[in-house]
């Protein structure tokens, strides 16, 4: 690909809207006679619903509709259809929707909720996934009857919604060859996405049975598909319009709370119903990241060579599986991350509990798996008396190696070694940090690597339509959501290079409208520039060939002797002979009036090439299209009297293939690293002993503020062009969050000599470990 | 009850309920949607406005109390279709991603620079500690505030 605009730090195309406050989010939309929705939620983590009486609520003046599972008896789910839109016979977590109201004002809607009477019979609840696996309390007694994708392996008697198995080589043989067998246990709690924009949607059902939904959605098409599936509607009757999304981080992928507002709108055809979640509802009743417990056993040679890796991961999936099925699968097939191990046995379980619903969160499965893998690599290094970086460099995946699912690595797969070395240089690895004069405060440095591929179905498709306008400007239609990652800017740069025109002449159609824009699977998995880049390349070739075919007839030369550049199409060997592009793109009209050709519309479709399902018993196969490697490093200062940790410096280096916009890419890395700091040091969903969530506000669920920002943060890249992309690109957006926690934990060990293996690394845990170390 | 507000230089009269917040009135009655509701509890700063020249979370102000107040929202920063130097600086430093928190950050920055034209890093951190951003990691926001201070200094 000839590059003129790719690689440049072009300002964002959504900049003016966003800095002036005129960018429109769902919450900013108002319609005439619009009704306001509100939701009644379960106060119990697990209970039978004995009776619901909505008569008093219905009778309240200003109430237009009240809905329960009686009117809306549908379930939803992306891979496993287990989540009722309204709880039916039982509730399974605190916050689960039981009924909803649409009223003339928010105030009336809230009053109506108080008038709904629900009688519950509490059931025994289970909050620990290891306990839940004993099957004494069954959260989904009908699990076996639920519709699901056949690649997911349920174990209904154990509350397991997916058990993923990886069997590579012979792990027992590997342990026999090992000089050391090193075991460890690691865990992390549920955490919350905390997008600044809470979830929201507006629904409108017309008298022809057409449904329109405006949603803060990462995945307009998948949302449409899942709505139509849940409500048993034809796809063409459902229209999703997705304006700007105020942060999603996976929490706004697939389907979420839209079903509730749709059910309300269906009761009041011809009126818009708006439902915007409060912060409390957003935390309790959308999705959170699963908690995880991992047990690792690694076989290692004296020289540090890994020969066997056995691991069990148990995910706290909460009350419904949601994306969890694929979280569990992705963690299962990626472990042990960026390292080559010939013999691997991994069991990854997704388990129902009566906790908040687990779902997709930036780099799903990978933050979890790398916490265990990278902490364990440090433990191995310590046992062997080897430097942790040296151990990693000895074992990284290199060309010719196979990963856990048996895929062969190539030169073009990416270079984790280069990422590690660059990150080590940037953090000053190997040199002792200058220690503060205050002897109570000690500084240390740590490093961790990572790898992640898009975790997606084998046929996750993309498409692009390029429409030329009369003046040879271009309207680009694509259905990836601009969620803050800068997609609309980057794709404009790529389209400019693919079409050989100026980015000023290109507009990306926005907001996304499934009635108008072409199909796109989802805005998830750090796959957009890669997958849409492929579709774009094909669409651009299609458009250029139409232009050249018309020009070829007019100029009397072969299409391959023509070139398009900016505003003209010219003869390559005689560039002064040209036709202005604007005279071609609607068809060419000869001086005598007769015309040829017609409007130029380029079309490009793409599905990943050569992907397969994995063998259900061994997990071997080709489930990942492209891998992004990276390395992250931290310098910290630990106060040994208070246990407090200050992050002084963070470094993130990623093999991006090709960086399309260095300014935006750096923004992704810095932002992702800070999002990784929260779960490293303090973020976690907390509950009362009887399963009620406590951390349901920003006071009780703290996220990093500007005051937590490290003194220094560096984003950097390695560029090994991706062979499966015409632009050489691969994803980097989720990755920066992944290995920040293990890098920080490693730095804490370097500083004060204690290893914390359970996130978050709180001052209490550090003080306790220091006390144990000194006693 | 009817109150009078001066919003972005224009007087408006609006009927309000006793329990309505100023944020609700701005957004739902006057359709001034730049200030966002991120939490409704004064914990996130997305609804930040200038209220008689002072920086406040508009979700914590009762509309009734605001009778006669002079209010500046992000909508009032652009003049004659031109961006304010703070807005230019946010673009130049890539100090936003999803954009939902941006109106709050821009207004908090304005309040800071109005009272302290040459803020130190510590001053900026103190002034913006009540504004949450989950996308950027704050580094570019810090740079944008400094750049805005330079721009405004040159203008004067």
């Amino acid at each position: 690909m000839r590059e003129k605009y790719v690689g440049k730090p072009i300002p964002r195309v959504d900049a003016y809207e966003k800095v002036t406050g005129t960018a429109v989010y769902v919450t900013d939309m108002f319609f005439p006679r619009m009704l306001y929705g509100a939701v009644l939620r379960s106060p119990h983590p697990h209970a039978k619903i004995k009776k619901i009486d909505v008569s008093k609520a219905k009778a309240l003046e200003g109430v237009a509709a009240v809905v329960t599972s009686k009117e809306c008896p549908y379930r939803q789910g992306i891979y496993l259809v287990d989540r009722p839109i309204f709880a039916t016979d039982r509730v399974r977590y605190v916050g689960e929707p039981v009924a909803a109201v649409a009223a003339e004002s928010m105030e009336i809607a809230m009053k109506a909720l108080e008038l709904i009477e629900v009688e519950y019979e509490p059931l025994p609840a289970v909050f620990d996934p290891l306990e839940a696996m004993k099957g004494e309390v069954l959260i989904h007694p009908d699990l076996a009857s639920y519709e699901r994708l056949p690649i997911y392996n349920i174990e209904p008697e154990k509350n397991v919604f997916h058990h993923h198995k990886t069997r590579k080589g012979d792990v027992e043989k590997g342990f026999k060859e090992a000089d050391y067998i090193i075991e460890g246990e690691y865990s992390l709690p549920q955490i919350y996405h905390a997008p600044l924009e809470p979830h929201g949607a507006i629904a409108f059902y017309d008298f022809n049975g057409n449904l329109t939904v405006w949603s803060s959605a990462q995945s307009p098409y998948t949302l449409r598909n899942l709505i139509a599936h849940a409500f048993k509607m034809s796809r063409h009757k459902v229209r999703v319009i997705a304006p700007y999304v105020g942060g999603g981080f996976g929490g706004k992928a697939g389907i979420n709370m839209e079903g509730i507002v749709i059910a309300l709108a269906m009761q009041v055809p011809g009126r818009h119903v708006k439902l915007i979640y409060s912060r409390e509802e957003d935390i309790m009743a959308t999705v959170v990241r699963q908690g995880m417990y991992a047990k690792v056993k690694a076989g290692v040679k004296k020289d540090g060579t890994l020969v066997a890796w056995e691991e069990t991961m148990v995910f706290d999936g909460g009350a419904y599986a949601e994306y969890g099925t694929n979280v569990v699968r992705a963690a299962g097939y990626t472990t042990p991350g960026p390292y080559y191990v010939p013999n691997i046995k991994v069991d990854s379980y997704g388990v129902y509990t009566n906790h908040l619903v687990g779902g997709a969160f930036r780099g799903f499965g990978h933050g979890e798996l790398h916490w265990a893998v990278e902490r364990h690599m440090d433990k191995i290094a310590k046992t062997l008396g080897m430097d942790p970086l040296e151990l990693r460099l000895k074992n990284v995946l290199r060309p010719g190696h196979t990963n856990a699912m048996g895929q062969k690595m190539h030169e073009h797969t990416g270079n984790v070694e280069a990422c590690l070395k660059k990150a080590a240089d940037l953090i000053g690895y190997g040199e002792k940090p200058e220690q503060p004069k205050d002897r109570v405060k000690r500084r240390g440095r740590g490093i961790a690597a990572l790898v992640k591929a898009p975790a997606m179905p084998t046929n996750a498709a993309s498409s692009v339509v390029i429409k030329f306008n009369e003046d040879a400007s271009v309207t680009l239609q694509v259905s990836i959501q601009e969620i803050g990652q800068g997609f609309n800017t980057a794709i404009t740069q790529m389209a400019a290079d693919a079409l050989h025109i100026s980015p000023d002449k290109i507009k990306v159609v926005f907001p996304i409208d499934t009635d108008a824009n072409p199909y796109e699977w989802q805005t998830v998995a750090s796959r957009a520039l890669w997958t849409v880049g492929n579709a774009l390349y094909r669409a651009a070739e299609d458009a250029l060939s139409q232009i050249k075919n018309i020009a070829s007839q007019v100029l009397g030369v072969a299409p391959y002797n023509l070139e398009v550049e900016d505003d003209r199409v010219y003869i390559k060997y005689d560039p002064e002979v040209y036709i202005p592009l604007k005279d071609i793109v609607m068809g060419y009209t000869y001086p005598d009036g007769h015309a040829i050709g017609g409007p130029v519309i380029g079309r490009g479709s793409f599905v990943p090439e050569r992907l397969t399902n994995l063998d259900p018993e061994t997990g071997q196969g080709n489930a990942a299209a492209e891998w992004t490697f990276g390395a992250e490093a931290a310098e910290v200062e630990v106060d040994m009297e208070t246990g407090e940790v200050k992050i002084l410096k963070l470094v993130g280096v990623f093999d991006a293939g090709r960086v399309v916009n260095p300014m935006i890419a750096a923004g992704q890395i810095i932002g992702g690293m800070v999002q990784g700091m929260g779960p490293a040091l303090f973020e976690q969903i907390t509950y009362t002993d009887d399963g009620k969530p406590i951390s349901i506000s920003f006071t009780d669920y703290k996220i990093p503020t500007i005051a937590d920002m490290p003194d220094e943060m560096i984003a950097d890249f390695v560029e090994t062009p991706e062979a499966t992309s015409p632009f050489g690109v691969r994803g980097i957006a989720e990755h920066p969050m992944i290995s920040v926690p293990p890098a920080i934990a490693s730095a804490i060990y370097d500083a004060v000599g204690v290893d914390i293996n359970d996130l978050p690394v709180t001052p209490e845990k550090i003080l306790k470990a220091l006390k144990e170390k000194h006693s | 009850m009817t109150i009078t507000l001066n919003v972005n230089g224009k007087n408006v009269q609006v009927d309000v309920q006793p329990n309505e917040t100023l944020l609700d009135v701005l957004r739902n009655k006057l359709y001034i949607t730049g200030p966002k509701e991120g939490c409704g509890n004064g914990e996130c700063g997305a609804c930040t406005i200038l209220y008689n020249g002072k920086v406040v979370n508009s979700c914590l102000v009762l509309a009734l109390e605001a009778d006669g107040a002079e209010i500046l929202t992000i909508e009032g920063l652009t003049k004659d279709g031109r961006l304010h130097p703070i807005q230019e600086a946010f673009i130049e430093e890539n100090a936003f991603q999803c954009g939902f928190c941006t109106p709050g950050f821009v207004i908090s920055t304005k309040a800071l620079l109005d009272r302290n034209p040459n803020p130190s890093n510590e001053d900026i951190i103190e002034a913006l500690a009540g504004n949450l951003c989950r996308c950027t990691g704050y580094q570019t926001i810090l740079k944008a505030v400094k750049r805005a201070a330079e721009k405004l200094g040159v203008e004067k």
Side-chain angles (χ1 to χ4, degrees):
Chain A
M1 182 70 56
R2 184 198 60 165
E3 289 185 351
K4 194 166 169 188
Y5 301 104
V6 164
K8 302 270 189 325
I10 288 170
R12 297 177 63 116
V13 298
D14 52 356
Y16 284 82
E17 288 166 275
K18 287 183 174 172
V19 301
T20 55
T22 52
V24 174
Y25 304 82
V26 170
T27 188
D28 301 329
M29 302 179 81
F30 296 87
F31 292 92
R33 298 172 67 236
M34 190 169 77
L35 297 164
Y36 292 83
V39 185
L40 184 72
R41 301 180 179 283
S42 163
H44 300 288
H46 201 194
K48 262 190 190 150
I49 298 175
K50 302 205 63 167
K51 204 175 104 192
I52 306 179
D53 183 354
V54 300
S55 55
K56 285 181 196 156
K58 268 191 175 159
L60 184 69
E61 196 182 327
V63 170
V66 181
V67 179
T68 66
S69 67
K70 199 171 139 211
E71 293 77 20
C72 180
Y74 306 120
R75 278 202 307 261
Q76 65 184 35
I78 181 160
Y79 299 123
L80 171 64
V81 185
D82 65 354
R83 190 176 187 181
I85 293 165
F86 294 95
T88 46
D89 55 330
R90 63 167 81 191
V91 290
R92 298 180 171 89
Y93 69 97
V94 172
E96 179 156 14
V98 174
V101 173
E104 301 293 339
S105 74
M106 199 60 209
E107 205 183 356
I108 299 170
M110 297 308 282
K111 251 185 214 156
L113 291 186
E114 289 172 19
L115 298 175
I116 299 173
E117 291 163 12
V118 188
E119 204 181 305
Y120 296 99
E121 179 188 319
L123 292 168
V126 59
F127 306 112
D128 176 348
L130 294 167
E131 277 297 310
M133 283 180 83
K134 292 178 186 163
E136 284 158 17
V137 172
L138 284 187
I139 295 166
H140 289 268
D142 301 327
L143 173 56
S145 70
Y146 294 167
E147 189 185 348
R148 68 177 199 276
L149 269 191
I151 60 167
Y152 294 107
N153 175 24
I154 56 170
E155 293 173 1
E157 73 289 354
K158 291 202 242 168
N159 285 309
V160 168
F161 54 78
H162 181 48
H163 173 192
H164 183 89
K165 294 181 219 174
T166 298
R167 305 287 184 268
K168 179 195 175 193
D170 180 345
V171 79
E172 291 310 323
K173 186 173 139 266
F175 284 127
K176 276 184 201 134
E177 290 166 9
D179 297 316
Y180 296 91
I181 292 176
I182 297 155
E183 297 182 72
E185 292 178 43
Y186 309 92
S187 76
L188 45 84
Q190 287 184 323
I191 56 169
Y192 168 57
H193 306 67
L196 263 288
E197 176 206 31
H199 285 66
I202 298 170
F204 180 79
Y205 190 66
D206 74 14
F207 289 95
N208 289 319
N210 293 308
L211 173 69
T212 305
V213 181
W214 292 261
S215 174
S216 175
Q218 286 180 234
S219 321
Y221 265 94
T222 290
L223 176 59
R224 184 183 77 160
N225 193 34
L226 296 175
I227 289 169
H229 186 269
F231 286 86
K232 306 183 196 316
M233 293 176 74
S234 172
R235 303 298 184 272
H236 81 290
K237 293 288 220 182
V238 182
R239 177 184 184 190
V240 171
I241 300 173
Y244 281 118
V245 169
F249 314 111
K252 291 172 181 166
I255 188 167
N256 209 295
M257 44 70 80
E258 292 85 356
I260 297 167
V261 71
I262 292 167
L264 287 169
M266 284 180 162
Q267 299 293 313
V268 283
R271 297 195 71 176
H272 293 80
V273 185
K274 184 178 191 176
L275 175 61
I276 304 293
Y277 271 11
S278 66
R279 181 56 58 188
E280 185 177 304
E281 288 177 297
D282 205 71
I283 299 177
M284 283 206 303
T286 60
V287 289
V288 296
R289 189 170 91 176
Q290 289 87 343
M292 187 205 64
Y293 162 81
K295 195 169 180 183
V296 187
K297 181 178 166 188
V300 198
K301 292 277 203 194
K302 271 183 207 148
D303 67 354
T305 307
L306 293 170
V307 288
W309 193 283
E310 184 175 339
E311 182 165 344
T312 302
M313 281 174 277
V314 177
F315 286 84
D316 178 358
Y320 298 100
E322 262 293 333
Y323 259 93
T325 41
N326 206 24
V327 173
V328 169
R329 178 173 176 267
Y333 69 55
T334 306
T335 299
Y339 305 110
Y340 171 66
V341 185
N343 306 294
I344 299 172
K345 180 180 179 216
V346 171
D347 290 277
S348 180
Y349 296 92
V351 184
Y352 289 121
T353 67
N354 294 110
H355 273 160
L356 301 182
V357 181
F361 192 149
R362 195 173 193 167
F364 68 50
H366 293 76
E368 298 93 310
L369 83 90
H370 283 88
W371 173 246
V373 168
E374 288 300 80
R375 285 275 65 208
H376 203 62
M377 288 300 279
D378 279 6
K379 184 166 190 181
I380 294 168
K382 195 160 72 170
T383 309
L384 266 56
M386 204 169 163
D387 177 80
L389 174 62
E390 193 191 332
L391 176 74
R392 285 170 169 82
L393 290 171
K394 187 163 189 73
N395 288 288
V396 288
L397 282 164
R398 291 195 169 83
H401 284 153
T402 53
N403 63 11
M405 70 173 91
Q407 289 180 311
K408 199 162 189 180
M409 300 287 112
H410 302 277
E411 291 286 347
H412 60 72
T413 310
N415 193 336
V416 62
E417 184 176 352
C419 293
L420 272 167
K421 286 182 171 164
K422 206 167 192 177
D425 276 352
L426 291 168
I427 201 74
Y429 193 91
E431 310 150 27
K432 280 280 156 205
E434 199 181 315
Q435 295 296 344
K437 286 202 183 82
D438 182 354
R439 300 277 309 162
V440 162
K441 291 177 177 168
R442 296 289 89 185
R443 292 181 176 185
R445 291 172 182 151
I447 196 164
L450 66 101
V451 66
K452 184 190 176 294
M456 61 186 179
T458 51
N459 59 357
S462 295
S463 48
V464 169
V465 174
I466 292 169
K467 292 194 296 191
F468 271 89
N469 303 311
E470 295 89 330
D471 57 355
S473 65
V474 162
T475 307
L476 185 72
Q477 289 182 307
V478 46
S479 298
I480 285 284
Q481 178 59 276
E482 174 53 72
I483 188 175
Q485 83 283 44
F487 173 80
N488 284 357
T489 308
I491 207 69
T492 301
Q493 292 174 251
M494 287 161 71
D497 277 351
L499 289 165
H500 301 185
I501 63 174
S502 161
D504 303 340
K505 291 272 179 71
I506 300 170
K507 182 175 82 181
V508 180
V509 176
F510 201 79
I512 296 164
D513 179 345
T514 57
D515 270 7
N517 290 33
Y519 181 83
E520 170 57 55
W521 177 60
Q522 298 206 56
T523 310
V524 295
S526 307
R527 60 187 269 286
L529 293 188
W530 175 78
T531 182
V532 178
N534 271 288
L536 169 72
Y537 179 75
R538 293 173 193 198
E541 290 293 299
D542 185 23
L544 290 175
S545 100
Q546 291 170 41
I547 290 167
K548 287 178 188 172
N549 278 334
I550 300 167
S552 149
Q553 294 175 60
V554 179
L555 295 173
V557 299
Y560 57 76
N561 283 325
L562 293 167
E563 189 66 85
V564 172
E565 185 71 50
D566 290 329
D567 52 2
R568 59 182 65 182
V569 50
Y570 62 87
I571 298 172
K572 278 184 195 167
Y573 54 76
D574 194 0
E576 280 165 32
V577 182
Y578 69 91
I579 308 172
L581 213 46
K582 69 177 172 52
D583 294 343
I584 297 266
V585 290
M586 291 291 131
Y588 183 79
T589 306
Y590 286 93
D592 71 356
H594 87 274
I596 58 167
V600 171
I601 304 173
R603 187 197 63 170
S605 292
F606 177 73
V607 284
E609 293 167 349
R610 302 170 73 205
L611 291 190
T612 66
N613 292 332
L614 297 173
D615 183 282
E617 292 308 316
T618 65
Q620 299 299 289
N622 197 31
E626 36 99 12
W627 294 92
T628 302
F629 290 101
E632 302 190 287
E635 181 174 336
V636 304
E637 183 178 286
V638 183
D639 183 321
M640 291 192 289
E641 266 176 12
T642 64
E644 269 164 45
V645 177
K646 175 149 179 55
I647 314 287
L648 302 172
K649 182 173 174 180
L650 287 175
V651 169
V653 181
F654 299 87
D655 191 341
R658 177 74 180 114
V659 176
V660 175
N661 184 317
M663 178 184 81
I664 294 175
Q668 285 296 299
I669 291 180
I670 301 297
M673 291 197 300
V674 171
Q675 199 171 21
M677 277 172 55
L681 296 181
F682 47 81
E683 285 184 37
Q684 64 177 322
I685 302 279
T686 53
Y687 293 89
T688 59
D689 289 343
D690 56 351
K692 292 193 174 68
I694 298 166
S695 49
I696 52 174
S697 69
F698 280 135
T699 300
D700 295 317
Y701 191 95
K702 297 249 185 259
I703 64 171
T705 72
I706 194 167
D708 297 307
M709 204 178 68
D711 300 338
E712 192 181 1
M713 288 189 276
I714 301 174
D716 210 337
F717 301 95
V718 169
E719 291 183 283
T720 311
E722 172 61 42
T724 60
S725 160
F727 297 87
V729 298
R730 60 176 80 90
I732 53 152
E734 300 170 302
H735 304 72
M737 189 180 170
I738 293 173
S739 276
V740 168
I744 288 174
S746 198
I748 291 169
Y749 176 79
D750 188 46
V752 295
V754 297
D755 271 310
I756 307 297
N757 295 325
D758 305 298
L759 285 175
V761 185
T762 57
E764 296 75 31
K765 289 178 192 170
I766 290 175
L767 288 180
K768 187 164 172 268
L770 281 170
K771 207 173 158 193
E772 278 165 16
K773 188 185 158 204
H774 292 126
S775 63
Chain B
M1 199 187 148
T2 304
I3 60 165
T4 303
L5 301 172
N6 183 290
V7 183
N8 300 325
K10 277 188 189 151
N11 284 323
V12 287
Q13 293 201 321
V14 59
D15 280 331
V16 303
Q17 301 292 319
N19 58 351
E20 253 179 322
T21 67
L22 180 56
L23 176 64
D24 284 340
V25 169
L26 288 173
R27 288 183 53 81
N28 302 340
K29 292 196 165 150
L30 303 176
Y31 303 114
I32 307 249
T33 54
K36 306 295 184 199
E37 179 164 330
C39 69
N41 291 321
E43 298 166 340
C44 78
C47 66
T48 303
I49 59 167
L50 289 192
Y51 180 89
N52 294 329
K54 273 171 52 187
V55 63
V56 299
N57 287 314
S58 58
C59 73
L60 294 181
V61 179
L62 280 177
L64 275 177
E65 292 170 8
D67 192 17
E70 201 171 287
I71 286 159
L72 181 80
T73 71
I74 183 92
E75 283 88 347
L77 274 198
T78 45
K79 287 274 176 328
D80 308 321
R82 295 224 326 270
L83 296 185
H84 187 277
I86 296 173
Q87 294 170 313
E88 289 173 358
F90 269 64
I91 295 179
E92 288 157 14
E93 293 293 350
N94 192 35
F96 59 89
Q97 287 181 25
C98 83
F100 200 79
C101 70
T102 312
F105 271 99
V106 169
I107 291 291
S108 290
T109 302
K110 170 112 178 38
L112 168 67
L113 298 181
D114 281 352
R115 65 174 189 268
N116 179 356
N118 291 304
S120 64
N121 278 1
E122 290 68 31
D123 296 336
I124 296 169
I125 287 167
E126 196 191 336
L128 299 184
N131 291 81
L132 297 179
C133 170
R134 192 61 153 172
C135 297
T136 63
Y138 304 103
Q139 191 186 51
T140 55
I141 294 176
L142 189 76
K143 286 184 186 167
V145 178
K146 294 186 137 180
R147 183 185 278 251
E150 278 167 31
K151 278 173 180 275
L152 288 163
V154 170
E155 259 182 21
K156 277 171 194 163

